[in-house]
Amino acid sequence: MKGNISFSLSFNFNCMKQKFNRREFISMAAAAGTGLAVAGPNFALGQESKKPAILGGSKAYTSGFSAWPLFDDREEKALVSVLKSGNWGRLNGPVVAEFEKAYAGLNGAGHCLGVSSGTAALTTILGALGIGPGDEVVIPVYTFIATYNVVVLNYALPILVDTDIETFQIDVKKAEAAVTAQTKAIMPVHIGGTPADIDALIRLGEKAGIPIIEDACQAHLAEWKGKKVGNFGLAGAFSFQSSKNLNCAEGGAILTNDADFARACYTFHNQGQGGTGTSYGTGSGTRATNLRLTEFQGNLLLAQMTRLQQQVETRTENAKYLTELLADIPGIEPAKWYPGTTRSAYHLYMFRYLKEHFHGLSRGKFVEALNAEGIPCDPGYGQMNRDAYVTGLASNPHYLRIYGEKTMKEWLDRNQCPQNDTLTREQSLWFFQTMLLGTRENMEQIAEAIRKIQKYAKQIAKA
Ligand SMILES: *Cc1c(COP(=O)(O)O)cnc(C)c1O
């Protein structure tokens, strides 16, 4: 996997779990032993703890962030009961259909189809729309590579749109400029779990007569004006891959309020065989595949869903508090929300690091210093439009045959994204959803770590 365009949670959380380093242990033991400590050593201890860990001070964060996934005997029962039933696939048992009903209900959507992954959800939507060679699909440049891959898998042309640097979301004005007579879908992503500018996107879709597909793979239970994402476009895609806020190892779902489109999706994901639930009907599509979810995954999701609402609330509260704390730190700019956003899923806590407020300390060094404090932090996505994995499409023989050399050359130019370049080369940083499942004190420790680094930025830059 190329670090630049695809991101995996590679950070070793185990190293976060080491409770105390030797120095801290000795300090604590000493403090405990002295009871009413004298001013001298105590003062020295205070100074030591205010120094960044990267310069030999003690870590701001010592207790370890939430494990992921969280589970207990609810999940064990869910898996064992499917096992013992002998009905392991959706064509054999009722559980995937039960999950679909529950997930549609939770999101206030008319229809839900469980599928084998978030990528499968997007693939099914594009398949049901009949998107293929010669078609263009508008997507944000700032996203997980899957958003791009599903377009290319259909030999359609992905048009990469620049990022609104303040929100990290697709720039809708630039999306509008990217629409041509060939555009068959606009596929915004609610990146980080925060809604893109949904009202503007829906207006654009209506004006252009093109369906909006919401890539909500990171945005479980996120809301726009009080309504759950995935309900606004023709359809929304969700991922239940291990790192996501709702997890069954690999899985996905489609939400839609269009009954005909729900049927078309079912047919596409089930080898062209129609019908709903577990029944077969006559095939209607001419292209289809098998992207079915299993009963094990369906029941695991039902068990995980008993925790979802509480987790969303915990992340919301912690993120709100963290944002308040960070507001006092110049040079740390949390991603802004569009006014319609009423809830973020906070799959990622995205923020900009402006090094001019840190004596020019590079983003890389800042991350290193934060990691030394015991705090995971990552630059995240890069310049997808410049990555060889993507630019190589311009010399793909199938693309050259379908679109011609001139179009593919122009395509490289159409994908220029200057705002995204600035954001991802110098500024963008992420905290992760598991960090927001901690305590209020954890949020204070994150802010404290950043303040220490800011204070000692000159020394860290030289170290
Ligand atoms: C995770 C993700 C996907 C793909 O989901 P999988 O379940 O991993 O296939 C697609 N788009 C975005 C934005 C994602 O974060």
Side-chain angles (χ1 to χ4, degrees):
M1 291 239 287
K2 291 277 254 322
N4 204 25
I5 50 168
S6 54
F7 179 76
S8 66
L9 274 174
S10 57
F11 196 90
N12 183 357
F13 280 84
N14 283 333
C15 76
M16 295 299 111
K17 285 180 186 153
Q18 283 179 356
K19 292 248 185 237
F20 306 107
N21 66 27
R22 201 178 115 81
R23 181 198 304 276
E24 285 156 346
F25 182 76
I26 292 168
S27 310
M28 285 176 62
T34 52
L36 273 175
V38 290
N42 226 5
F43 177 72
L45 191 62
Q47 286 306 307
E48 184 72 353
S49 73
K50 285 193 178 82
K51 237 187 184 187
I54 200 167
L55 298 176
S58 34
K59 289 183 185 182
Y61 196 93
T62 52
S63 63
F65 289 98
S66 175
W68 193 258
L70 296 168
F71 59 92
D72 58 23
D73 55 1
R74 276 173 275 184
E75 279 74 10
E76 188 176 334
K77 277 195 196 121
L79 289 173
V80 171
S81 75
V82 170
L83 180 78
K84 288 188 174 164
S85 76
N87 299 321
W88 295 353
R90 81 162 299 156
L91 302 179
N92 317 110
V95 179
V96 169
E98 277 165 29
F99 160 72
E100 289 168 346
K101 204 169 162 218
Y103 198 67
L106 186 63
N107 286 284
H111 308 272
C112 172
L113 176 68
V115 289
S116 56
S117 70
T119 308
L122 294 170
T123 301
T124 299
I125 291 167
L126 295 187
L129 276 171
I131 283 171
D135 296 338
E136 294 179 3
V137 179
V138 171
I139 64 170
V141 68
Y142 192 77
T143 185
F144 182 58
I145 194 69
T147 317
Y148 166 90
N149 279 338
V150 294
V151 178
V152 174
L153 214 57
N154 284 292
Y155 291 104
L157 199 59
I159 306 299
L160 309 183
V161 172
D162 204 359
T163 311
D164 176 345
I165 199 164
E166 293 211 325
T167 63
F168 291 51
Q169 307 292 337
I170 189 168
D171 182 324
V172 180
K173 282 216 177 74
K174 290 183 180 174
E176 181 163 12
V179 170
T180 70
Q182 280 70 49
T183 311
K184 291 291 152 44
I186 302 171
M187 203 154 72
V189 179
H190 305 308
I191 205 70
T194 304
D197 191 353
I198 289 181
D199 286 355
L201 285 158
I202 297 303
R203 271 199 304 275
L204 169 57
E206 280 169 0
K207 195 171 136 195
I210 301 167
I212 302 291
I213 306 303
E214 296 172 68
D215 181 339
C217 283
Q218 301 184 358
H220 317 79
L221 301 190
E223 291 175 7
W224 180 262
K225 297 182 175 170
K227 194 163 131 184
K228 304 284 189 298
V229 301
N231 276 293
F232 294 92
L234 173 62
F238 293 81
S239 166
F240 310 129
Q241 183 270 339
S242 311
S243 71
K244 301 292 160 74
N245 295 17
L246 182 61
N247 166 10
C248 69
E250 300 287 355
I254 297 164
L255 294 183
T256 180
N257 290 301
D258 181 321
D260 290 337
F261 192 68
R263 267 190 294 277
C265 287
Y266 186 93
T267 303
F268 183 86
H269 106 300
N270 189 41
Q271 306 287 22
Q273 303 301 302
T276 53
T278 56
S279 72
Y280 284 104
T282 47
S284 57
T286 52
R287 292 175 71 240
T289 184
N290 167 17
L291 298 170
R292 292 186 298 260
L293 191 69
T294 72
E295 297 283 280
F296 292 102
Q297 292 159 310
N299 226 18
L300 195 52
L301 287 166
L302 282 168
Q304 289 276 295
M305 274 164 68
T306 63
R307 306 162 196 282
L308 184 61
Q309 190 64 44
Q310 180 55 53
Q311 289 170 345
V312 167
E313 275 155 32
T314 304
R315 287 190 202 98
T316 299
E317 276 165 36
N318 277 327
K320 186 164 173 263
Y321 186 43
L322 182 60
T323 302
E324 277 166 32
L325 295 169
L326 297 181
D328 295 337
I329 306 179
I332 301 291
E333 301 272 338
K336 292 201 171 89
W337 287 4
Y338 293 105
T341 297
T342 46
R343 168 155 280 166
S344 170
Y346 279 113
H347 179 62
L348 303 167
Y349 187 97
M350 306 181 294
F351 63 99
R352 289 198 293 154
Y353 170 76
L354 305 174
K355 69 177 178 198
E356 53 272 30
H357 296 277
F358 286 75
H359 295 284
L361 181 73
S362 73
R363 181 180 61 174
K365 275 270 178 155
F366 173 79
V367 168
E368 226 179 280
L370 214 46
N371 290 169
E373 297 291 341
I375 296 169
C377 182
D378 196 280
Y381 305 132
Q383 300 93 48
M384 188 209 279
N385 54 327
R386 295 174 180 279
D387 197 281
Y389 179 81
V390 167
T391 57
L393 193 68
S395 45
N396 177 298
H398 300 290
Y399 272 77
L400 288 171
R401 192 163 65 233
I402 297 162
Y403 299 93
E405 207 167 316
K406 182 165 169 281
T407 301
M408 290 314 295
K409 269 219 181 83
E410 284 165 3
W411 175 75
L412 289 173
D413 291 332
R414 288 174 76 185
N415 290 335
Q416 295 309 307
C417 296
Q419 290 289 96
N420 190 69
D421 288 345
T422 302
L423 177 68
T424 58
R425 277 185 182 144
E426 300 166 12
Q427 301 179 349
S428 51
L429 286 173
W430 295 349
F431 293 135
F432 305 102
Q433 56 98 359
T434 48
M435 298 166 70
L436 298 173
L437 293 177
T439 60
R440 270 172 82 80
E441 196 194 4
N442 293 158
M443 302 305 110
E444 288 161 8
Q445 289 164 335
I446 292 171
E448 173 57 24
I450 297 174
R451 271 192 231 103
K452 279 201 292 181
I453 294 166
Q454 189 159 52
K455 195 169 164 205
Y456 286 84
K458 261 190 204 159
Q459 288 93 315
I460 296 171
K462 275 186 245 145

